[in-house]
């Protein structure tokens, strides 16, 4: 409750990176992209790095998202060795 869904940040990042890579849009005019098209976007969940890769004439660019994964669990599995079988 009272928090944006985590997918909102990624969906918005794709839309904004596409707009920033499209000449003539407001996003293209004001975005501070790097030379390779990388754009850093702040979201409630943290910073998302998106990169727009240009496409053929008239097509939308491909957008690459970079997120850092975090460990959410660690598990160990103990498997017994049966007698008479090599370990």
């Amino acid at each position: 409750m009272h928090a944006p869904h985590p997918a909102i940040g990624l969906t918005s990042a794709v839309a904004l990176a596409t707009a920033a890579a499209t000449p003539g849009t407001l996003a293209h005019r004001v975005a501070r992209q790097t030379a390779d098209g990388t754009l850093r976007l702040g979201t409630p969940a943290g910073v998302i790095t998106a990169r727009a890769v240009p496409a053929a004439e008239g097509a939308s660019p491909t957008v690459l998202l970079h997120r850092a994964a975090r460990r959410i669990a660690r598990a160990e599995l103990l498997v017994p060795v049966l007698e008479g079988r090599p370990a």
Side-chain angles (χ1 to χ4, degrees), residues 2-81:
H2 306 290
H5 188 278
I8 295 294
L10 297 177
T11 303
S12 301
V14 170
L16 191 53
T18 300
T22 306
T25 64
L26 178 62
H28 184 266
R29 198 169 353 144
V30 300
R32 290 188 228 149
Q33 291 178 291
T34 62
D36 70 349
T38 299
L39 186 64
R40 288 175 43 91
L41 305 165
T43 71
V47 175
I48 297 174
T49 302
R51 185 166 67 93
V53 178
E57 181 78 24
S60 295
T62 298
V63 176
L64 307 173
L65 298 174
H66 303 279
R67 293 285 304 214
R70 67 180 190 276
R71 181 182 295 171
I72 58 172
R74 181 179 176 154
E76 290 184 27
L77 180 62
L78 303 175
V79 180
V81 176

